[in-house]
Amino acid sequence: MRFVTYATADGDRTGVLDGDLIHAFPPGTTLTELLGPALRQAGERALAEPAGTVALADVTLRAPIPRPPSVRDCLCFLDHMRGGLRAVGDTGELGPTWYQIPAFYFANPASVIGPHDDVTISPGSAWFDFELEIAAVIGTAGRDLTPEQAAGHIAGYALFCDWSARDLQGLESQLKIGQAKGKDGAATLGPWLVTPDELPIGPDGRLALGVRAEVNGETVGEGRTDAMDWTFPEVVSYASRGVELRPGDVFGSGTVPGCCLLEHLDLGDLAAFRGWLKDGDVVSLRADGLGEVRQTVRAGTAPHPLAARPGPATARPRRPRVNPAPSALPFTKGLHQVGDGVWAWLLPDGGYGMSNAGLVAGDGAALLVDTLYDLPLTAEMLSGMRPVTDRHPLSHAVLTHANGDHTHGGQLLPEATRLIAAEGTAHEMRGEMAPEMTAALQVMDLGPTLTPYLRERFAAFDFGGIRLRTPDRTFDRRLTVEVGGREVRLLNLGPAHTAADTVVHVPDAGVLFAGDLLFIGCTPVVWSGPVAGWIDACDTMIGLGATTVVPGHGPVTDADGIRAVRDYFRHVVEQADAAYAKGLDFQEAAFGVDLAEYADWLDAERVVANVYRRYREIHPDQPVVDRLTLFGLMAEWNRRRQP
C-alpha cells in the first residue's frame, strides 16, 4: 500500500493511494497514529469505505510523516563516503571503525518538507547539494532489537533527500563534534510511504531498487540500493540499543553512490564540475516503486553575521592594512566622477577582491567597465550608479580580464546590455572553475599558515548564487565602441596579469581604465606573464597620454602610478635574475628578495608568484607549481615578514 499526507483548506489529511485516486481517512487522522501492526487493516478499510476521495493531481502532497518524532540519517553506502573523501583530495580509504559500526547523525525533524516543496538554500552557503536516499519509517515501538526483529518494526519506505550545505559542513567538520548548520536546511520525505510487501527486499534485508538523480533534466547519477554495506535492519538494530524507537521515527539510508554533486567534484579538474545548486535549479529524484520527488531550489537569505572571538593571547598581531598610495581623489567606497561623463567605482583597500569598476556615459547610453567579486557588491554598485544609468541606460559592458573579482557580477546586468571582452578573456572564462568554488578559500582547512591567510583576505565576500555570464562579443587586439556618440577604445595589452588584459580608453575625457594591469598601493601579481609583456603594457598605457588613470585595484592615479608599477617589475626582474645567477632556487630568491621602496605596498608577499614567473621565463624547465602551492608560499612569506 501507498500512504499519503496532503494539504486541504482545513488542515492536513491522510489517505491511501490507489492508482491516481486518494481514499481518505477521517479528518484528524494522522499517519503516525495509524502506524503499527494494524496499518494494513486500516488501509483496507479506507479503500473499502473512504471518508472521501480526491484525485492525486488535485492535491498538494506533504511529507507522509510531516513532523517525525526523530530523524536519523545513516551512512549505509560506504562508497559514498569514499567518493566524498576523494572529491576533496583524500585517498578515499576508510578506517576500520567504518566497517565495525554503522554511522548516523540526528537530523532536524522540523526541517522535513514535502516532495514538491521549494527548497531554500541554507543562509551563507555557496555549495548547496542534494543527496538521493531512501528512508525507512518505524511502525512499531521497540528497543534492543536484533536485526531480524528490526526488519519487522519497519512500516514502510519512502524517498528521502538530505539537502546539504557542503561549505558550511566542511567548515563545521573542523570542530570535530558532528553535523550542524551544514545539514540543517531541509530534508525531503515522500511522495508516499510504501509498505514493505510492495517492494523487492532480499533475505539479507537489502532493498533492490534502481534510483536516478537529475538536475534540470540532466542525469547526475544512477545506482541501486542493494549496494548497501549496512542494511536498514542492521542500522535500526544498532540505533535501538538502549533506546526506545517510536512509530514515525525516520532512518535515512545515506546517499546512493554517485547520486549527489559532491562525488562528481574533482579538485584536479575544477572546470569540469557542473557547479553547485543555484536559484531556479530543478532537482528530480526517482526510485523504483517509491515514485519521484521534484523540487525547485530557491535563493536563501543572507545570514546575520557573528563577530569572531579573539584568538589565543599568544596570537601574533596583524599589521593594519592601509593603502599607502597618494591620490588626488578620496579613496573611499562608491562612485567618484573622474572626467566629463566618466565615473569610477572604488573599493578600498584595493587588496584581494577589492576591485574598481568604471562608468562612461554618452547621449542616452552608457558603458560599464567590469563588475565586482560577488552579487551583493555588484548590486550595491549598480544601485549607486542609477542616478546616471536611469538617464543613460547601460548599452555595453566591458570585462578587462577573466578574474572573478571583475566578472562575477555579470548576471545582474540588464539583458539588453552587450557584454564585450577580448577573446583570450572569453576563453579563460569558459575554462574557469565554477565561481562558487572560490568559497573554498573561506572554509577549507589548509594548515596553520595558509588557512588564516586566506580567510583574512576572502572572508568578506559572498560567493553564492553566481552564474557566470560570458561575453556576447569578443575581439582580438583592438576594438572601438560607440557609446551614445562617444568613442571608447578597447586595447588588449596582454598576456601579462592574465591571458588577455584589456584597457578602456576614453580619449575625449582623458581617462584610462587600466584593469588589473595597474595595482596602486598594492602589489601586482603575474598569473600569466611574461613580466616583460607587463612592462611593455605600462609603456603603452603611458603613451596614451591619459591624465586620469583608474586602476583595477587601489586609488585613482596618473602616469606616475603607471611608472611605479613598471618600475616595480623592473626591480623584481633585476632581483630574480641576480638570484638565479647565484644558483638560488625560486623560493630562496623570493624569500630573500629586497623590495626596497615597494615593501610597504599591500600584499607584498605576491612577490613570490612574480619571482616564480620570472624564473619560469629564464628557465622554462622549472618545475610547475600550482596556484594553491603559490598561495601557501605567499602565506609563509607574509608570516615571516610580520613584525
Side-chain angles (χ1 to χ4, degrees):
M1 287 185 179
R2 293 180 294 169
F3 292 86
V4 297
T5 298
Y6 59 98
T8 73
D10 298 322
D12 290 348
R13 293 285 299 271
T14 300
V16 181
L17 183 63
D18 184 17
D20 293 324
L21 194 65
I22 298 172
H23 295 245
F25 289 99
T29 305
T30 68
L31 183 53
T32 304
E33 296 169 355
L34 295 171
L35 295 174
L39 177 63
R40 167 165 286 280
Q41 292 89 328
E44 290 172 348
R45 284 197 301 273
L47 290 172
E49 300 178 4
T53 59
V54 61
L56 177 64
D58 294 337
V59 303
T60 297
L61 290 179
R62 304 261 283 146
I65 311 290
R67 284 293 175 266
S70 71
V71 179
R72 294 170 175 85
D73 204 359
C74 308
L75 211 152
C76 297
F77 301 91
L78 296 185
D79 261 350
H80 166 64
M81 190 64 188
R82 296 183 189 104
L85 290 173
R86 286 192 293 268
V88 296
D90 195 279
T91 63
E93 184 175 339
L94 300 178
T97 308
W98 288 96
Y99 305 95
Q100 183 179 352
I101 53 174
F104 73 84
Y105 68 91
F106 282 96
N108 182 0
S111 72
V112 172
I113 59 176
H116 305 120
D117 292 344
D118 288 352
V119 183
T120 303
I121 295 173
S122 298
S125 175
W127 296 0
F128 200 58
D129 196 1
F130 68 89
E131 298 190 68
L132 191 164
E133 307 186 21
I134 307 299
V137 177
I138 298 299
T140 307
R143 64 186 294 148
D144 294 318
L145 304 172
T146 67
E148 293 74 22
Q149 291 170 331
H153 284 252
I154 296 174
Y157 299 90
L159 271 167
F160 187 75
C161 182
D162 170 31
W163 300 91
S164 302
R166 298 297 189 186
D167 43 356
L168 306 185
Q169 183 186 10
L171 184 62
E172 292 167 342
S173 69
Q174 295 163 38
L175 300 174
K176 302 186 186 303
I177 58 170
Q179 307 287 351
K181 299 305 295 182
K183 292 284 193 176
D184 199 29
T188 300
L189 184 65
W192 33 71
L193 180 73
V194 181
T195 53
D197 58 290
E198 292 202 6
L199 299 170
I201 301 175
D204 57 1
R206 282 176 171 79
L207 280 172
L209 310 177
V211 302
R212 180 186 181 92
E214 296 179 352
V215 178
N216 301 330
E218 174 189 349
T219 299
V220 172
E222 296 179 281
R224 292 194 57 81
T225 60
D226 45 7
M228 282 181 167
D229 295 277
W230 295 99
T231 67
F232 275 120
E234 288 172 323
V235 297
V236 170
S237 170
Y238 179 67
S240 75
R241 293 179 181 179
V243 172
E244 181 81 10
L245 301 183
R246 294 170 294 175
D249 283 349
V250 171
F251 283 77
S253 66
T255 309
V256 179
C259 293
C260 66
L261 297 176
L262 174 65
E263 291 184 56
H264 301 280
L265 175 65
D266 180 357
L267 294 180
D269 187 12
L270 289 175
F273 182 53
R274 73 163 305 281
W276 305 101
L277 296 174
K278 299 181 179 66
D279 182 45
D281 283 343
V282 177
V283 178
S284 300
L285 309 178
R286 304 184 185 95
D288 296 342
L290 297 181
E292 176 185 14
V293 301
R294 182 179 178 86
Q295 299 175 272
T296 301
V297 176
R298 298 301 182 193
T301 57
H304 298 296
L306 299 176
R309 303 299 91 170
T314 56
R316 182 175 294 174
R318 292 290 178 184
R319 183 183 299 171
R321 289 179 59 85
V322 178
N323 191 301
S327 176
L329 286 175
F331 187 31
T332 55
K333 182 179 182 180
L335 197 63
H336 300 260
Q337 188 158 10
V338 294
D340 182 16
V342 184
W343 293 262
W345 183 272
L346 304 180
L347 200 57
D349 54 25
Y352 284 106
M354 309 301 284
S355 57
N356 301 327
L359 182 65
V360 182
D363 185 9
L367 177 145
L368 179 72
V369 181
D370 283 336
T371 66
L372 301 180
Y373 208 7
D374 63 22
L375 300 184
L377 284 172
T378 302
E380 179 185 23
M381 177 184 73
L382 295 176
S383 176
M385 290 178 171
R386 284 195 61 183
V388 178
T389 57
D390 281 349
R391 293 179 289 113
H392 309 278
L394 287 173
S395 57
H396 299 81
V398 176
L399 301 179
T400 59
H401 63 291
N403 285 172
D405 52 343
H406 297 259
T407 63
H408 279 178
Q411 74 194 70
L412 298 184
L413 298 177
E415 188 175 345
T417 301
R418 196 167 193 195
L419 195 60
I420 304 171
E423 176 54 40
T425 295
H427 178 75
E428 278 197 306
M429 291 176 68
R430 287 191 290 266
E432 283 278 295
M433 67 181 183
E436 66 270 17
M437 287 306 300
T438 314
L441 305 178
Q442 300 169 321
V443 301
M444 288 185 69
D445 184 359
L446 299 168
T449 300
L450 183 54
T451 298
Y453 174 83
L454 293 175
R455 291 185 185 175
E456 179 185 10
R457 282 155 176 77
F458 293 95
F461 305 107
D462 177 0
F463 297 113
I466 298 169
R467 294 182 184 270
L468 202 59
R469 179 173 171 180
T470 54
D472 304 306
R473 181 182 181 184
T474 62
F475 66 98
D476 183 19
R477 304 306 299 179
R478 293 173 178 268
L479 179 68
T480 298
V481 180
E482 188 271 327
V483 181
R486 301 186 75 170
E487 182 181 276
V488 179
R489 299 173 182 171
L490 314 183
L491 294 84
N492 172 16
L493 303 182
H497 174 60
T498 61
D501 296 289
T502 296
V503 299
V504 179
H505 185 208
V506 190
D508 66 1
V511 176
L512 176 69
F513 293 95
D516 276 9
L517 287 175
L518 279 190
F519 291 69
I520 300 300
C522 43
T523 306
V525 58
V526 187
W527 293 128
S528 182
V531 178
W534 202 321
I535 294 172
D536 290 343
C538 288
D539 288 333
T540 300
M541 288 190 288
I542 293 170
L544 294 174
T547 55
T548 302
V549 181
V550 181
H553 295 259
V556 174
T557 188
D558 53 22
D560 285 341
I562 304 176
R563 293 186 185 98
V565 172
R566 179 192 63 186
D567 293 346
Y568 166 84
F569 280 118
R570 287 175 173 172
H571 181 75
V572 169
V573 168
E574 179 182 291
Q575 290 274 307
D577 288 7
Y580 186 82
K582 293 178 183 177
L584 303 180
D585 64 32
F586 97 85
Q587 293 188 39
E588 293 171 320
F591 279 81
V593 70
D594 177 10
L595 285 177
E597 67 263 37
Y598 310 106
D600 290 333
W601 286 7
L602 294 179
D603 303 317
E605 66 275 5
R606 291 172 175 170
V607 71
V608 174
N610 298 336
V611 170
Y612 165 71
R613 178 53 54 190
R614 179 57 185 166
Y615 262 56
R616 291 274 296 166
E617 293 167 7
I618 297 170
H619 187 51
D621 291 335
Q622 287 279 327
V624 175
V625 177
D626 63 72
R627 191 167 294 187
L628 189 61
T629 301
L630 283 175
F631 269 120
L633 293 170
M634 286 190 274
E636 177 59 21
W637 191 102
N638 180 69
R639 185 191 68 79
R640 295 186 189 183
R641 297 292 179 109
Q642 288 293 322

